[in-house]
Amino acid sequence: MTSALDITRAVNPPRAVFLNFPLGHQTGRPHQPELQRQIVRAAMRAFETIESPGTIVELPYVWDANDRRWEETDYTEGFLPERPAKEDADTAEAARRTRFADAK
Amino acid sequence: MAVAYIPRTRELYKAYTPYRWVVNTDAPPWTPLEKPIARCRVALMSSGGILYRDQPRFHREDATYHMIPKNATQADLSVWHFGYRTEDAASDHNCVFPLARMRELEAEGVIGGLADPAYSFMGGIYSSRKVRDELAPRIVDELRRAHADAFYLVPA
């Protein structure tokens, strides 16, 4: 699966399926199971239909037919959130692990 | 129009040593699918930094992976990754780790089976050598042990 066509062309894997969605949504929008199912099903179909090594199947789905601005801003300056301070990240990590350890 | 991520990444990380992108000009290795996908056991892996319950988070240049039980639910999973906006994946892991969708395709018979466990690592590993020589061979061993017929890798 890929949403970065130029990177995948460079790597040249044996089989790939391209979805033109913002990074972080390679198998669809959140909480849209039917869309996700169609995308994943298309990827499974590609295992059978791709016969030539290096083929990239392009899926027809569009992120937002009325707004393509994400294509201008995705992965540009200011796109990634600031990394949390180490202490904050460590606190969150400890809380997460404690929560699940307690639930065992 | 597909976004050109190589120049964007170069620009976003211009303060750092330029990344040497993997460029493979040889024909890719090819393993034919020997039976219909409806009879194949498919293994799922995401590079989206998915964590199961109290598994430790990934760290910089981490070439290890986690095993995610195939029956894991949304409540069991969290996301740890520096390289993409993780809000949507955190609220629905199926954006980058379509475990629930793969279970449905298994139940419907679209695929022969979903291998257990699924796998997760944190992409954005700077050293492609580390991925090629450490991570990839370990995953290949896992897939052999799991008798997987096909491998579905989803990046983030």
Side-chain angles (χ1 to χ4, degrees), chain B:
Chain B
M1 260 285 281
V3 174
Y5 284 104
I6 290 177
R8 286 212 184 159
T9 307
R10 203 172 278 144
E11 179 65 21
L12 200 57
Y13 292 94
K14 62 186 171 210
Y16 298 84
T17 317
Y19 180 69
R20 285 176 55 199
W21 293 91
V22 173
V23 179
N24 291 314
T25 49
D26 293 346
W30 183 253
T31 308
L33 199 68
E34 287 177 352
K35 48 192 173 186
I37 199 74
R39 283 169 39 213
C40 289
R41 186 196 302 265
V42 184
L44 171 67
M45 184 177 209
S46 172
S47 65
I50 305 290
L51 307 172
Y52 174 73
R53 301 184 69 88
D54 62 344
Q55 285 175 342
R57 73 186 183 204
F58 298 100
H59 55 81
R60 188 185 280 273
E61 288 301 283
D62 195 341
T64 67
Y65 57 92
H66 285 322
M67 299 201 225
I68 315 284
K70 73 187 265 187
N71 289 322
T73 64
Q74 181 66 39
D76 294 321
L77 301 172
S78 45
V79 184
W80 183 264
H81 202 302
F82 288 128
Y84 71 102
R85 298 193 67 110
T86 56
E87 307 95 301
D88 284 348
S91 84
D92 179 5
H93 61 78
N94 293 293
C95 294
V96 294
F97 181 60
L99 190 63
R101 301 294 84 81
M102 290 293 283
R103 284 197 300 260
E104 290 162 6
L105 295 188
E106 177 185 49
E108 291 165 18
V110 172
I111 59 172
L114 174 61
D116 192 18
Y119 309 94
S120 159
F121 69 106
M122 186 175 88
I125 301 165
Y126 194 80
S127 165
S128 57
R129 181 198 53 75
K130 227 171 162 172
V131 175
R132 188 190 60 223
D133 298 345
E134 296 177 28
L135 177 61
R138 286 188 208 122
I139 294 302
V140 170
D141 288 346
E142 288 282 358
L143 298 176
R144 289 220 167 95
R145 267 199 295 278
H147 300 288
D149 301 301
F151 179 47
Y152 182 33
L153 176 59
V154 183

Side-chain angles (χ1 to χ4, degrees), chain A residues 18-84:
Chain A
F18 170 71
L19 176 69
N20 192 31
F21 275 22
L23 299 186
H25 309 86
Q26 275 79 344
T27 47
R29 282 180 175 273
H31 310 293
Q32 294 197 6
E34 188 45 43
L35 172 67
Q36 295 168 355
R37 189 159 32 240
Q38 287 176 29
I39 291 164
V40 174
R41 199 187 261 269
M44 295 302 109
R45 202 175 305 127
F47 276 114
E48 293 182 338
T49 57
I50 294 177
E51 290 179 340
S52 166
T55 299
I56 303 174
V57 171
E58 299 195 20
L59 299 185
Y61 305 102
V62 174
W63 176 256
D64 184 339
N66 299 313
D67 189 355
R68 306 201 76 130
R69 273 176 301 182
W70 72 269
E71 294 182 356
E72 307 302 319
T73 54
D74 203 47
Y75 225 64
T76 57
E77 200 68 46
F79 168 76
L80 289 173
E82 287 284 313
R83 290 190 186 187

